[in-house]
């Protein structure tokens, strides 16, 4: 190194003389108040360095390496014998918790000493505690016994010889850089043999280290140095070539001077030209100009949301309106989910100029697919993407697209980058011949999510990654590059393999699939657990009650059972018994923290990813027949006319008589010769359920529909297609009614006891714009009396929307109404006004989820609230803070939506695989909506809800009137509910597995290819063939 002849700095110059120090800083609280924090620190003198036996070098990490090169240091075998200064650990903790968790896992304590050690290690991971020091001051080697590469945390902030005081006028960042260099100096002086290397991507820090006599490398330089020993090293290096010029608002070297106050920025179109410095994109504004523009209301900020199936059309909410941003130049390197600063465009001239700039970009890269091919809006979105649109987006789509305001991105406040799954674009034939000659090849990565741009990566394993699904992380996107840069981190498997494609779905939707760790498994009871005297204390003994569970076929995680017996006074004692999961999952334990992070069990077509370990979900907590199980029970005394006399909550022990499927329970009810006690109880439950359901419907509860089956709106916890292959029977509705009743009763109880800390579920009313548009469409088809002022009016209107000659019409109308609905959400009662607690779809003033704690973390919280309200156990600390509860509820809402979309994406995958095997098919479809990209249709025979693209060269698309008219023959006009013939085939273009629909012809008004009943039978047969091993989640 250049600094080899430089005299080493004297690190003893500013060593503190005393052992006691006060750290003082200001912290903003959740209530937006500023609090002064003073922490007393005692510096030690008895810490000795961690000795890596046999090491030829010791690597000291800088913060920027830990933050931006975590994949490299965590997974590349060339990085070993690593010292992580405590300064680095804390800086990473404050800046990115995900990276902190990975870094801490590398240095995690993994010893089976005693419970105190485990708790202390967990506290160190979660809290602000000092590092553990063992024995005579030797810094604890926190590397796992399984981790032969050895990572260790060095407590430099608590060691007198490495503690660094902040100098006057010195920034916190500069002080921390100096502290990290001090650690490297100290190791160099006290460790004999291994070479001490400082790893930093900060040029200034590296220069100072070399000037002080240290050996310092950037991550890329270090990888090149280690390549003779590790030929494959550096594959996971993040692309960081422009890190040193980046500023908060953009690139320092390319940011224009700020506009004087009050002066309008000149020439919006001028910014669209290629920069004189060779830049492809216009620069982002400086942070100071962004702040001034926001204050003067010239700009606004918001979250960028790409339109379905494209990375070129986006919108940002600005109050009640949506500002559209179209084209690569106007998007200016922003991707879906980024928090951006937007400037509205003055008129069509700037938009047209930007479009010309986009054409220039396509010419520059000599690729006709640049931009247009990446998420082409002319290609139809998948069924999953179509159903992901909210009611607001639905209403917006019916408005005039030309009237929507236009804008452009002038700055990016926060990136929303994550890991992306996809495949490498195949090489052209001329490059295939020479690919082995490349030392490092540039390859184009195509994300499976078409809302993202293609990403350029560098790899030495180009040939090995062909036709593979891989995971890529974005590193950066400077204004000189047509594409963002990234690096690959993981190979998931072969393209087209079902297990691989399912892994892609789980990864893309943020589903946690890791194995449950040792700390979690140590929280479980023994595998042969049986309830003992300590488990039965304070419980009701219901083992003599005649009760059973009724679930989907093959269900293993049985979390509810029901009972019904006649009382001497002629009333019924009805019970809903729910698995007592919280008896085994205690607050703030490792298993509880894991469940709080996963939030829900995720069901794909052929597999599920559990929220809790299998020992609990399918065994100890599962209410299987013939075994003793612990429950949290709701008991009612109900009159024969379904009037509730009394409600009681208790913990109990039960022994289920049978674990029945819906079909088996229905068969018992229908078998009049069966007069067993169990069957009589089921019949009574069924009679009561019908009365309760009728009362709910009179109160305004809605009955909506998917393309396959009817479902109650509360059943949002399952994906509609997951119940497609079996018929809904009376027993389905019976169980659903009593689960709803239990949820409602528990909601009322916990709200009365904890009005500020309750966890409830609310369902906001639908958007009037969407229902108003729906009413106009129905009026064109003779349904003129469509009212929606309340849920009761809407329910009545849906009931009247029938056509005697078309039995499928009402189901289509209910499907359209489903699209207009908002999503139900969990919330903290102390954070929402009481008048907003109402559940619109169920017509209930108070509602929560209590009945599925095995697979929903919200139910676990509700169980704890109910237990505290009954005095069974104290209220946990996590449920005594409104901000903490609200944060957890929001996490649950996000995970719940992702689980729904993952389930739908899995159904889409299996539909694609079905048509890949079957080849091109034709079928009748019904138009349910006209979109800018084409017609949304329902193909009843195959249970497909998708979009048929209609080329603009051949068709006039009128979103406002919801019509599509042929340009060749104006008489050919397609409206909502029109029946058409579509072709269906698998489309694997760009490795994005889609089921493509194309228009063939219109059907005549009286023409029907098949009768409704015959088509339903064929659909059921097709579904069995598509999903032969489908798992069916329970509805409630």
């Amino acid at each position: 190194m250049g600094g080899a002849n430089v005299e080493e700095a004297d690190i003893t110059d500013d060593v503190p003389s005393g052992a006691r120090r006060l750290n003082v800083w200001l912290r903003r609280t959740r209530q937006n108040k500023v609090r002064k924090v003073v922490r007393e620190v005692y510096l030690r003198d008895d810490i000795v360095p961690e000795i890596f036996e046999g090491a030829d070098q010791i690597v000291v990490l800088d913060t920027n390496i830990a933050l931006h090169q975590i994949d490299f240091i965590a997974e590349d075998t060339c990085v070993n014998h690593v010292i992580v200064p405590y300064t680095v650990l804390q800086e990473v903790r404050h800046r990115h918790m995900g990276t902190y968790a990975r870094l801490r896992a590398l240095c995690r304590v993994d010893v089976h000493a005693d419970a105190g050690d485990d708790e202390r290690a967990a506290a160190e991971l979660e809290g602000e505690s000092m590092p553990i020091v063992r024995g005579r001051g030797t810094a604890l080697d926190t590397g796992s016994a399984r981790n032969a590469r050895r990572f260790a945390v060095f407590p430099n902030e608590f060691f007198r010889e490495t503690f660094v005081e902040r100098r006057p006028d010195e920034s916190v960042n500069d002080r921390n850089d100096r502290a990290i260099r001090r650690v490297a100096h100290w190791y160099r002086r006290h460790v004999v043999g291994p070479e001490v290397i400082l790893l930093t991507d900060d040029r200034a820090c590296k220069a100072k280290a070399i000037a002080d006599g240290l050996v310092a490398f950037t991550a890329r330089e270090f990888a090149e140095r280690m390549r003779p020993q590790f030929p494959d090293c550096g594959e996971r290096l993040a692309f960081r070539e422009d890190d040193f010029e980046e500023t908060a608002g953009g690139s320092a070297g390319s940011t224009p001077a700020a506009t004087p106050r009050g002066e309008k920025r000149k020439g919006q179109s001028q910014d669209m030209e290629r920069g004189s410095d060779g830049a492809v994109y216009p620069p982002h504004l400086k942070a100071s100009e962004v702040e001034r523009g926001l204050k003067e209301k010239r700009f606004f900020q918001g979250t960028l949301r790409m339109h379905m199936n494209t990375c070129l059309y986006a919108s940002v909410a600005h109050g009640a309106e949506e500002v559209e941003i179209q084209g690569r130049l106007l998007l200016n390197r922003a991707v879906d989910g980024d928090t951006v600063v937007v400037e509205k465009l003055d008129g069509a001239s700037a938009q047209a100029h930007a479009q010309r700039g986009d054409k220039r970009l396509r010419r520059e890269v000599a690729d006709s697919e640049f931009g247009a091919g990446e998420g082409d809006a002319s290609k139809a979105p998948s069924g999953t993407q179509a159903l992901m649109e909210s009611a607001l987006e639905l209403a917006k789509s019916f408005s005039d697209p030309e009237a929507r305001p236009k804008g452009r991105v002038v700055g990016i406040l926060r990136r929303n980058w994550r890991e992306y799954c996809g495949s490498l674009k195949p090489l052209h034939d001329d490059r295939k011949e020479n690919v082995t000659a490349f030392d490092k090849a540039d390859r184009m990565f195509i994300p499976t999510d078409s809302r993202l741009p293609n990403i350029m990566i560098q790899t030495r394993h180009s040939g090995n990654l062909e036709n593979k699904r891989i995971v890529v992380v974005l590193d950066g996107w400077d204004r000189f590059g047509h594409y963002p840069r990234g690096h690959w981190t993981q190979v998931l498997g072969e393209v087209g393999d079902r297990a691989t494609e399912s892994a892609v779905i789980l990864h893309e939707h943020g589903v946690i699939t890791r194995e449950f760790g040792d700390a979690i498994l140590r929280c479980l009871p023994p595998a042969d657990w049986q309830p003992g005297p300590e488990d039965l204390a304070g419980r009701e003994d219901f083992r003599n009650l005649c009760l059973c569970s009724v679930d989907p076929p093959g269900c293993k995680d049985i979390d509810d059972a029901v009972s019904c017996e006649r009382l001497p006074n002629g009333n019924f004692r009805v019970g809903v018994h729910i698995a007592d999961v919280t008896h085994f999952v205690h607050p703030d334990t490792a298993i509880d923290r894991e469940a709080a992070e996963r939030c829900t069990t995720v069901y794909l077509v052929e597999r599920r990813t559990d929220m809790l370990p299998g020992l609990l979900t399918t065994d100890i907590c599962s209410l299987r027949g013939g075994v003793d199980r612990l429950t949290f029970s709701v008991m009612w005394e109900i009159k024969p006319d379904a009037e509730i006399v009394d409600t009681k909550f208790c913990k109990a022990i039960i022994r289920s008589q049978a674990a029945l499927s819906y079909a088996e329970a229905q068969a018992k009810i229908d078998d009049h010769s069966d007069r067993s006690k169990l069957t009589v109880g089921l019949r009574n439950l069924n009679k009561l359920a019908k009365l309760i359901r009728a009362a709910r419907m009179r109160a305004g509860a809605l009955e909506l529909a998917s393309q396959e089956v009817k479902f109650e709106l509360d059943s949002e916890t399952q994906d509609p297609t997951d119940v497609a292959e079996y018929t809904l029977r009376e027993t389905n509705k019976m169980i659903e009614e009593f689960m709803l009743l239990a949820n409602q009763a528990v909601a009322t109880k916990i709200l009365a006891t904890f009005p500020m800390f309750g966890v409830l579920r609310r369902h906001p009313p639908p958007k009037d714009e969407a229902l108003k548009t729906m009413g106009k469409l129905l009026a064109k088809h003779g349904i003129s009396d469509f009212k929606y002022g309340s849920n009761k009016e809407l329910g009545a209107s849906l009931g009247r929307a029938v056509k005697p000659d078309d039995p499928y019409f009402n189901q289509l109308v209910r499907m359209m109404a489903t699209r207009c609905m908002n999503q139900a959400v969990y919330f903290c009662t102390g954070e929402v006004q009481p008048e907003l607690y109402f559940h619109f779809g169920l017509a209930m003033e108070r509602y929560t989820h209590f009945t599925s704690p095995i697979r929903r973390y919200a139910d676990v919280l509700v169980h704890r609230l109910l237990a505290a309200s009954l005095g069974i156990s104290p209220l946990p600390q996590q449920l005594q803070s409104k901000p903490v509860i609200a944060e957890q509820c929001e996490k649950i809402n996000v995970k719940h939506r992702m689980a729904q979309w993952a389930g739908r994406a899995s159904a889409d995958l299996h539909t694609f695989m079905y048509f890949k095997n079957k080849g091109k098919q034709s079928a009748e479809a019904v138009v349910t909506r006209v979109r800018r990209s084409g017609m949304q249709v329902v193909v009843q025979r195959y249970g497909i809800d998708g979009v048929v693209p209609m080329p603009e060269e051949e068709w006039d698309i009128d979103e406002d009137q919801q019509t599509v008219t042929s340009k060749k023959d104006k008489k050919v006009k397609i409206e909502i509910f029109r029946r058409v013939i579509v072709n269906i085939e698998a489309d694997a273009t760009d490795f994005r597995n889609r089921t493509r629909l194309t228009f063939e012809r219109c059907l005549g008004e009286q023409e029907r290819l098949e009768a409704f009943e015959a088509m339903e039978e064929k659909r059921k047969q097709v579904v069995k063939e598509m999903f032969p091993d489908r798992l069916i989640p329970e509805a409630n």
Side-chain angles (χ1 to χ4, degrees), residues 504-519:
V504 168
I505 290 171
L506 293 172
H507 206 107
E508 280 291 295
H509 291 89
V511 178
I512 297 173
T513 57
R514 61 175 175 258
E515 297 291 329
F516 291 102
D518 291 342

PDB file of all heavy atoms in Angstrom, residues 504-519:
ATOM      1  N   VAL A 504     -40.229 -18.170  -5.503  1.00  0.00           N
ATOM      2  CA  VAL A 504     -40.210 -16.804  -6.033  1.00  0.00           C
ATOM      3  C   VAL A 504     -41.409 -16.018  -5.511  1.00  0.00           C
ATOM      4  O   VAL A 504     -41.285 -14.866  -5.077  1.00  0.00           O
ATOM      5  CB  VAL A 504     -40.211 -16.825  -7.576  1.00  0.00           C
ATOM      6  CG1 VAL A 504     -40.488 -15.429  -8.145  1.00  0.00           C
ATOM      7  CG2 VAL A 504     -38.889 -17.354  -8.110  1.00  0.00           C
ATOM      8  N   ILE A 505     -42.581 -16.627  -5.536  1.00  0.00           N
ATOM      9  CA  ILE A 505     -43.796 -15.956  -5.051  1.00  0.00           C
ATOM     10  C   ILE A 505     -43.638 -15.568  -3.587  1.00  0.00           C
ATOM     11  O   ILE A 505     -43.951 -14.434  -3.188  1.00  0.00           O
ATOM     12  CB  ILE A 505     -45.019 -16.870  -5.252  1.00  0.00           C
ATOM     13  CG1 ILE A 505     -45.339 -16.996  -6.748  1.00  0.00           C
ATOM     14  CG2 ILE A 505     -46.232 -16.341  -4.494  1.00  0.00           C
ATOM     15  CD1 ILE A 505     -46.393 -18.040  -7.062  1.00  0.00           C
ATOM     16  N   LEU A 506     -43.154 -16.482  -2.777  1.00  0.00           N
ATOM     17  CA  LEU A 506     -42.983 -16.191  -1.356  1.00  0.00           C
ATOM     18  C   LEU A 506     -41.964 -15.068  -1.147  1.00  0.00           C
ATOM     19  O   LEU A 506     -42.178 -14.168  -0.326  1.00  0.00           O
ATOM     20  CB  LEU A 506     -42.542 -17.453  -0.610  1.00  0.00           C
ATOM     21  CG  LEU A 506     -43.578 -18.580  -0.554  1.00  0.00           C
ATOM     22  CD1 LEU A 506     -42.955 -19.842   0.038  1.00  0.00           C
ATOM     23  CD2 LEU A 506     -44.787 -18.164   0.276  1.00  0.00           C
ATOM     24  N   HIS A 507     -40.885 -15.120  -1.893  1.00  0.00           N
ATOM     25  CA  HIS A 507     -39.836 -14.100  -1.747  1.00  0.00           C
ATOM     26  C   HIS A 507     -40.352 -12.737  -2.176  1.00  0.00           C
ATOM     27  O   HIS A 507     -40.127 -11.730  -1.504  1.00  0.00           O
ATOM     28  CB  HIS A 507     -38.618 -14.496  -2.592  1.00  0.00           C
ATOM     29  CG  HIS A 507     -37.331 -13.937  -2.080  1.00  0.00           C
ATOM     30  ND1 HIS A 507     -36.385 -14.699  -1.451  1.00  0.00           N
ATOM     31  CD2 HIS A 507     -36.844 -12.680  -2.093  1.00  0.00           C
ATOM     32  CE1 HIS A 507     -35.358 -13.938  -1.093  1.00  0.00           C
ATOM     33  NE2 HIS A 507     -35.618 -12.706  -1.480  1.00  0.00           N
ATOM     34  N   GLU A 508     -41.053 -12.690  -3.304  1.00  0.00           N
ATOM     35  CA  GLU A 508     -41.552 -11.415  -3.834  1.00  0.00           C
ATOM     36  C   GLU A 508     -42.576 -10.767  -2.913  1.00  0.00           C
ATOM     37  O   GLU A 508     -42.725  -9.554  -2.909  1.00  0.00           O
ATOM     38  CB  GLU A 508     -42.173 -11.634  -5.220  1.00  0.00           C
ATOM     39  CG  GLU A 508     -41.168 -11.718  -6.341  1.00  0.00           C
ATOM     40  CD  GLU A 508     -40.493 -10.381  -6.597  1.00  0.00           C
ATOM     41  OE1 GLU A 508     -41.174  -9.427  -7.003  1.00  0.00           O
ATOM     42  OE2 GLU A 508     -39.283 -10.289  -6.371  1.00  0.00           O
ATOM     43  N   HIS A 509     -43.292 -11.573  -2.158  1.00  0.00           N
ATOM     44  CA  HIS A 509     -44.324 -11.034  -1.278  1.00  0.00           C
ATOM     45  C   HIS A 509     -43.856 -10.916   0.164  1.00  0.00           C
ATOM     46  O   HIS A 509     -44.672 -10.728   1.077  1.00  0.00           O
ATOM     47  CB  HIS A 509     -45.586 -11.902  -1.369  1.00  0.00           C
ATOM     48  CG  HIS A 509     -46.277 -11.799  -2.690  1.00  0.00           C
ATOM     49  ND1 HIS A 509     -45.960 -12.620  -3.750  1.00  0.00           N
ATOM     50  CD2 HIS A 509     -47.238 -10.956  -3.140  1.00  0.00           C
ATOM     51  CE1 HIS A 509     -46.712 -12.288  -4.794  1.00  0.00           C
ATOM     52  NE2 HIS A 509     -47.491 -11.293  -4.444  1.00  0.00           N
ATOM     53  N   GLY A 510     -42.561 -11.031   0.375  1.00  0.00           N
ATOM     54  CA  GLY A 510     -41.997 -10.793   1.700  1.00  0.00           C
ATOM     55  C   GLY A 510     -42.393 -11.811   2.742  1.00  0.00           C
ATOM     56  O   GLY A 510     -42.427 -11.498   3.943  1.00  0.00           O
ATOM     57  N   VAL A 511     -42.683 -13.036   2.317  1.00  0.00           N
ATOM     58  CA  VAL A 511     -43.077 -14.085   3.261  1.00  0.00           C
ATOM     59  C   VAL A 511     -41.825 -14.693   3.886  1.00  0.00           C
ATOM     60  O   VAL A 511     -40.902 -15.098   3.174  1.00  0.00           O
ATOM     61  CB  VAL A 511     -43.909 -15.175   2.555  1.00  0.00           C
ATOM     62  CG1 VAL A 511     -44.279 -16.282   3.541  1.00  0.00           C
ATOM     63  CG2 VAL A 511     -45.165 -14.570   1.947  1.00  0.00           C
ATOM     64  N   ILE A 512     -41.789 -14.765   5.197  1.00  0.00           N
ATOM     65  CA  ILE A 512     -40.633 -15.328   5.893  1.00  0.00           C
ATOM     66  C   ILE A 512     -40.684 -16.848   5.779  1.00  0.00           C
ATOM     67  O   ILE A 512     -41.650 -17.481   6.205  1.00  0.00           O
ATOM     68  CB  ILE A 512     -40.633 -14.896   7.366  1.00  0.00           C
ATOM     69  CG1 ILE A 512     -40.503 -13.377   7.456  1.00  0.00           C
ATOM     70  CG2 ILE A 512     -39.517 -15.590   8.141  1.00  0.00           C
ATOM     71  CD1 ILE A 512     -40.665 -12.830   8.865  1.00  0.00           C
ATOM     72  N   THR A 513     -39.645 -17.425   5.209  1.00  0.00           N
ATOM     73  CA  THR A 513     -39.615 -18.875   4.986  1.00  0.00           C
ATOM     74  C   THR A 513     -38.485 -19.566   5.730  1.00  0.00           C
ATOM     75  O   THR A 513     -38.306 -20.775   5.582  1.00  0.00           O
ATOM     76  CB  THR A 513     -39.473 -19.172   3.480  1.00  0.00           C
ATOM     77  OG1 THR A 513     -38.284 -18.539   2.982  1.00  0.00           O
ATOM     78  CG2 THR A 513     -40.672 -18.652   2.710  1.00  0.00           C
ATOM     79  N   ARG A 514     -37.728 -18.823   6.515  1.00  0.00           N
ATOM     80  CA  ARG A 514     -36.600 -19.437   7.220  1.00  0.00           C
ATOM     81  C   ARG A 514     -37.098 -20.469   8.233  1.00  0.00           C
ATOM     82  O   ARG A 514     -38.232 -20.407   8.712  1.00  0.00           O
ATOM     83  CB  ARG A 514     -35.781 -18.365   7.943  1.00  0.00           C
ATOM     84  CG  ARG A 514     -36.565 -17.590   8.986  1.00  0.00           C
ATOM     85  CD  ARG A 514     -35.673 -16.617   9.754  1.00  0.00           C
ATOM     86  NE  ARG A 514     -36.468 -15.805  10.673  1.00  0.00           N
ATOM     87  CZ  ARG A 514     -36.827 -14.553  10.455  1.00  0.00           C
ATOM     88  NH1 ARG A 514     -36.457 -13.963   9.323  1.00  0.00           N
ATOM     89  NH2 ARG A 514     -37.549 -13.886  11.338  1.00  0.00           N
ATOM     90  N   GLU A 515     -36.230 -21.412   8.536  1.00  0.00           N
ATOM     91  CA  GLU A 515     -36.547 -22.399   9.562  1.00  0.00           C
ATOM     92  C   GLU A 515     -36.608 -21.720  10.930  1.00  0.00           C
ATOM     93  O   GLU A 515     -35.935 -20.721  11.175  1.00  0.00           O
ATOM     94  CB  GLU A 515     -35.470 -23.497   9.579  1.00  0.00           C
ATOM     95  CG  GLU A 515     -35.376 -24.307   8.301  1.00  0.00           C
ATOM     96  CD  GLU A 515     -36.596 -25.191   8.086  1.00  0.00           C
ATOM     97  OE1 GLU A 515     -37.194 -25.633   9.091  1.00  0.00           O
ATOM     98  OE2 GLU A 515     -36.963 -25.419   6.917  1.00  0.00           O
ATOM     99  N   PHE A 516     -37.420 -22.271  11.812  1.00  0.00           N
ATOM    100  CA  PHE A 516     -37.488 -21.732  13.163  1.00  0.00           C
ATOM    101  C   PHE A 516     -36.177 -22.037  13.891  1.00  0.00           C
ATOM    102  O   PHE A 516     -35.717 -23.181  13.903  1.00  0.00           O
ATOM    103  CB  PHE A 516     -38.670 -22.336  13.912  1.00  0.00           C
ATOM    104  CG  PHE A 516     -40.003 -21.885  13.376  1.00  0.00           C
ATOM    105  CD1 PHE A 516     -40.751 -22.709  12.556  1.00  0.00           C
ATOM    106  CD2 PHE A 516     -40.501 -20.621  13.679  1.00  0.00           C
ATOM    107  CE1 PHE A 516     -41.973 -22.293  12.049  1.00  0.00           C
ATOM    108  CE2 PHE A 516     -41.718 -20.196  13.182  1.00  0.00           C
ATOM    109  CZ  PHE A 516     -42.464 -21.027  12.360  1.00  0.00           C
ATOM    110  N   GLY A 517     -35.583 -21.006  14.483  1.00  0.00           N
ATOM    111  CA  GLY A 517     -34.275 -21.143  15.107  1.00  0.00           C
ATOM    112  C   GLY A 517     -34.317 -21.886  16.433  1.00  0.00           C
ATOM    113  O   GLY A 517     -35.382 -22.168  17.000  1.00  0.00           O
ATOM    114  N   ASP A 518     -33.124 -22.162  16.950  1.00  0.00           N
ATOM    115  CA  ASP A 518     -33.005 -22.915  18.204  1.00  0.00           C
ATOM    116  C   ASP A 518     -33.663 -22.183  19.367  1.00  0.00           C
ATOM    117  O   ASP A 518     -34.293 -22.810  20.234  1.00  0.00           O
ATOM    118  CB  ASP A 518     -31.529 -23.176  18.518  1.00  0.00           C
ATOM    119  CG  ASP A 518     -30.897 -24.158  17.539  1.00  0.00           C
ATOM    120  OD1 ASP A 518     -31.667 -24.873  16.856  1.00  0.00           O
ATOM    121  OD2 ASP A 518     -29.664 -24.198  17.448  1.00  0.00           O
ATOM    122  N   ALA A 519     -33.496 -20.864  19.415  1.00  0.00           N
ATOM    123  CA  ALA A 519     -34.098 -20.097  20.516  1.00  0.00           C
ATOM    124  C   ALA A 519     -35.615 -20.230  20.506  1.00  0.00           C
ATOM    125  O   ALA A 519     -36.258 -20.284  21.563  1.00  0.00           O
ATOM    126  CB  ALA A 519     -33.689 -18.635  20.414  1.00  0.00           C
TER     127      ALA A 519
END
